[in-house]
Amino acid sequence: MAINKAVGKPAKSHGGLRNTIEYVLKDEKVREGYLDVIGPYLEPTVNYDAVYRAWLEEKKLWDKDSGRMCAHNVISFHKDEQVTPAEVLEIGRAFTEEFFSGHQSLIAVHQDRDHLHCHIVTNSVSYIDGRKLHQSKKDLEQQKVFTNNLCRERGLNVAEKGHHFDGTPIESGEIITWNKNTYKLLTNDSKKSFLADCGIALMEVIPKSASKEEFISGMAEKGWSVKWEDKRKHIVFENENGDKVRDSMIEKTFSGLRVNKEDLAIEFERQNELRLGNTEATERRDSTEDPEAEYFERYYAEVESAIAGISGGGSGGGNTEAESSDSAEGRDDSIKGESDTDSLIRKVEADIDSSKNQRGVIVHAEAESRNRERERRLEEQRRAHEQERTAEISRRSRRHSEPSR
């Protein structure tokens, strides 16, 4: 059984891209060399810095070094599935060839947990034509269907929503622990179980959290502090009585409740995507050549619209309470109010002009930077070509000067 998940909002900065690649290639996760790099990559060995630099070079070559840096998919297999790391890598390659052809991709099989899972990180810029990768909701559905077909072809189980690995249905919040004492404690309403309380709190907080901070805050409201440290593998929950629960214990006890760092991060991204709107809206935002410029244009339009409303005095809808009060005070106060309005209009217009000028300076500086980078690359290419030409002339000269035998 394989579950295919797409990380909703992957890295949008160089640092985020580098960290993603570094995480996927950690030695303690990737064992026995079950990994692969697809697309242009000249280094003899695979390491995160070399992969990062190769991808960055491709982005700069096409002048698309901004916005989404990569796509990130995770194909996870059930712990009882009879599948080998080699088969998982083969499935990852087939998946990448189907959906990310023409893009540099990193495939790595992780064996650090009780189930095998494959990470696929893909450069968002194609090395064939420089086009950016976009995935719609329909694409994600097709990816799940394709993954299921790959499993069927290899005699593996196929995931069925709402069912156990053996095909039996899963009840919401079902307890699956095999420890008899723990099971009785959790199912006995007359006894208080801090483990059950923690599980219930998590089920209520996770669907409402779109970030680590929101998650920690939500658990605090339920009476649970969260110890989430980057240097530690596990998350630890502690209530006001000092009772502690580790994330792995929650996952072993409650069916379908995934509370490890990796799965929570994916869930946060999903919740965040739901808040931002549907996938089509996200694609439109990502495909914009200069999203920051579009934001400023919208801002300017909104402010200018507000100014028009102030200077026009509305469209026959009547005065506000403040304006009615000014009118009651007499003509002199009304004239003063109009003067204040004119002053406000001039001030806001001046702010808009200033912001536009600053934006123009920034855009000009960015354009100059890109031009300098392009000229630098062309100069490097010319220099390399000249060196190669000089070396070829030297080789020919030596061949002609050698005595004939």
Side-chain angles (χ1 to χ4, degrees):
M1 177 189 292
I3 303 296
N4 191 327
K5 295 181 180 179
V7 179
K9 290 178 68 61
K12 288 191 175 182
S13 66
H14 290 168
L17 175 63
R18 187 185 182 94
N19 290 341
T20 300
I21 296 172
E22 182 179 8
Y23 169 80
V24 169
L25 289 178
K26 281 188 174 181
D27 291 337
E28 63 268 25
K29 296 179 178 293
V30 182
R31 301 169 187 168
E32 302 168 346
Y34 288 105
L35 57 86
D36 197 4
V37 177
I38 309 297
Y41 183 75
L42 302 179
E43 298 296 327
T45 60
V46 179
N47 64 82
Y48 75 89
D49 185 64
V51 174
Y52 165 75
R53 285 188 283 104
W55 290 17
L56 199 60
E57 182 178 353
E58 201 66 41
K59 291 177 182 296
K60 291 182 177 179
L61 180 64
W62 297 99
D63 197 19
K64 291 189 177 180
D65 187 23
S66 62
R68 291 177 301 108
M69 294 284 113
C70 63
H72 189 175
N73 288 73
V74 183
I75 302 177
S76 300
F77 294 82
H78 191 276
K79 61 183 180 65
D80 295 330
E81 185 68 84
Q82 298 299 311
V83 64
T84 65
E87 289 175 318
V88 174
L89 182 59
E90 182 184 350
I91 289 173
R93 287 190 181 119
F95 180 86
T96 302
E97 182 179 350
E98 177 70 17
F99 293 101
F100 305 128
S101 177
H103 291 258
Q104 295 163 301
S105 291
L106 171 64
I107 309 170
V109 179
H110 284 192
Q111 304 182 58
D112 59 322
R113 305 179 71 174
D114 61 354
H115 66 282
L116 294 176
H117 54 286
C118 174
H119 286 262
I120 301 172
V121 182
T122 304
N123 192 347
S124 59
V125 178
S126 168
Y127 62 84
I128 299 295
D129 55 17
R131 292 186 179 181
K132 264 208 161 184
L133 177 68
H134 295 287
Q135 298 188 85
S136 66
K137 187 178 295 184
K138 183 178 180 180
D139 293 330
L140 299 180
E141 290 299 325
Q142 291 176 347
Q143 290 175 6
K144 292 179 181 179
V145 172
F146 185 80
T147 303
N148 287 339
N149 290 336
L150 289 176
C151 290
R152 289 192 185 95
E153 292 171 1
R154 291 161 175 77
L156 304 175
N157 291 281
V158 174
E160 187 177 354
K161 188 175 182 179
H163 290 75
H164 288 289
F165 180 71
D166 60 6
T168 58
I170 296 175
E171 300 295 334
S172 179
E174 176 186 347
I175 297 170
I176 59 171
T177 178
W178 292 106
N179 183 293
K180 185 172 65 174
N181 294 329
T182 306
Y183 181 85
K184 287 182 178 180
L185 182 63
L186 290 171
T187 56
N188 190 344
D189 292 336
S190 64
K191 294 184 179 180
K192 187 71 171 177
S193 166
F194 66 85
L195 181 58
D197 284 345
C198 186
I200 293 170
L202 287 165
M203 280 188 270
E204 294 176 351
V205 171
I206 291 175
K208 300 177 182 178
S209 303
S211 67
K212 174 182 174 181
E213 292 72 23
E214 287 186 12
F215 173 69
I216 293 175
S217 176
M219 289 299 291
E221 292 178 2
K222 299 291 183 181
W224 289 88
S225 63
V226 180
K227 190 173 184 180
W228 183 328
E229 300 177 358
D230 293 339
K231 61 182 179 181
R232 296 186 180 275
K233 179 179 179 180
H234 294 285
I235 303 172
V236 178
F237 307 97
E238 183 176 358
N239 64 12
E240 297 170 350
N241 297 326
D243 300 314
K244 297 182 179 180
V245 184
R246 183 180 284 187
D247 55 2
S248 56
M249 186 61 182
I250 291 291
E251 293 185 344
K252 291 177 182 177
T253 305
F254 293 95
S255 171
L257 191 55
R258 312 302 297 175
V259 294
N260 59 80
K261 293 180 179 179
E262 185 175 345
D263 284 328
L264 281 178
I266 293 174
E267 178 62 19
F268 295 160
E269 296 290 353
R270 191 180 74 85
Q271 293 294 337
N272 199 23
E273 194 70 27
L274 289 174
R275 292 185 185 182
L276 290 175
N278 57 37
T279 307
E280 287 73 19
T282 303
E283 287 185 8
R284 286 196 297 271
R285 182 184 65 249
D286 289 342
S287 63
T288 304
E289 280 296 319
D290 193 347
E292 187 178 4
E294 184 185 30
Y295 163 78
F296 275 102
E297 289 302 322
R298 288 200 305 269
Y299 169 75
Y300 297 144
E302 290 170 3
V303 175
E304 287 172 349
S305 176
I307 293 172
I310 293 174
S311 60
S315 57
N319 295 330
T320 62
E321 291 180 10
E323 290 171 337
S324 299
S325 174
D326 288 341
S327 297
E329 293 296 330
R331 179 176 176 81
D332 291 340
D333 289 339
S334 177
I335 294 173
K336 180 178 181 298
E338 291 177 0
S339 176
D340 291 342
T341 299
D342 293 338
S343 176
L344 175 61
I345 292 171
R346 286 194 297 272
K347 184 178 184 304
V348 175
E349 287 177 336
D351 289 343
I352 291 175
D353 290 338
S354 176
S355 297
K356 286 184 175 179
N357 290 336
Q358 291 177 4
R359 175 60 187 166
V361 171
I362 293 173
V363 171
H364 181 68
E366 291 176 348
E368 285 189 341
S369 177
R370 288 194 296 267
N371 290 335
R372 284 196 299 271
E373 176 64 20
R374 189 179 295 108
E375 290 174 359
R376 184 188 65 80
R377 291 177 64 85
L378 290 173
E379 180 61 30
E380 288 180 353
Q381 292 174 359
R382 284 195 294 268
R383 190 181 301 113
H385 179 71
E386 185 65 28
Q387 291 175 349
E388 183 179 349
R389 185 169 174 273
T390 302
E392 178 62 23
I393 294 173
S394 178
R395 286 194 297 270
R396 290 180 181 178
S397 176
R398 284 198 301 270
R399 284 199 299 268
H400 286 302
S401 63
E402 290 176 356
S404 58
R405 295 181 180 181

